[in-house]
Amino acid sequence: MKEQIKQHLQAARPWQDCLIWFESIDSTNTQAKLLAAQGAPEGTVLIADLQTGGRGRRGRSFHSPAGSGIYMRVILRPNCPPEQLMHLTCGTAVAMCDAVESACGFRPGIKWTNDLVFGKRKLGGILTEL
């Protein structure tokens, strides 16, 4: 799966220098925050096959076993005040729906405002943090 993901990312943007793959990690979020604080460039993508300490909104734990998902973080460095980012999660959700539809042929819904769903099943979650 790693090579397939790299191919799709490279087709959209030359991410190869900013793609970090982990077989297992405590949390892509924790590692992304650390790398961002150390000056990682915008567009750095972290992907893991397994997270042992994944978390969602409000500090909830997020079950992320190997082979059943793509656990990913992207470091962005928008050049605007934080108040202009209030719609970033919604915009990301719409973009993810577009991507799923393009890749899989069906369009998931958005459960306000950070979960992608299909039927009654959660397909993914979006955690946006400053």
Side-chain angles (χ1 to χ4, degrees):
M1 183 184 319
K2 177 180 177 180
E3 291 308 314
Q4 291 172 317
I5 292 171
K6 284 179 89 169
Q7 286 175 347
H8 286 285
L9 289 174
Q10 289 170 353
R13 184 175 170 183
W15 299 86
Q16 65 264 19
D17 293 335
C18 300
L19 178 61
I20 306 168
W21 182 273
F22 300 91
E23 293 297 322
S24 176
I25 191 171
D26 60 342
S27 164
T28 56
N29 190 55
T30 300
Q31 186 65 30
K33 285 181 178 182
L34 178 65
L35 290 172
Q38 294 172 351
E42 178 173 30
T44 298
V45 177
L46 295 83
I47 301 175
D49 186 42
L50 164 76
Q51 291 185 119
T52 58
R55 68 176 186 83
R57 286 182 22 186
R58 299 182 185 146
R60 295 182 181 132
S61 64
F62 182 79
H63 184 63
S64 35
S68 65
I70 300 170
Y71 312 109
M72 179 172 80
R73 291 282 179 249
V74 179
I75 297 173
L76 300 176
R77 298 187 179 282
N79 187 20
C80 63
E83 57 271 10
Q84 291 182 357
L85 298 172
M86 62 185 288
H87 300 295
L88 183 59
T89 300
C90 294
T92 301
V94 171
M96 293 303 302
C97 287
D98 291 347
V100 169
E101 184 175 29
S102 175
C104 303
F106 69 90
R107 186 167 188 87
I110 301 169
K111 180 181 168 191
W112 187 259
T113 177
N114 67 318
D115 289 337
L116 272 59
V117 295
F118 188 69
K120 295 186 179 199
R121 306 261 340 218
K122 178 177 177 177
L123 298 180
I126 301 160
L127 179 61
T128 305
E129 296 185 325
L130 297 178

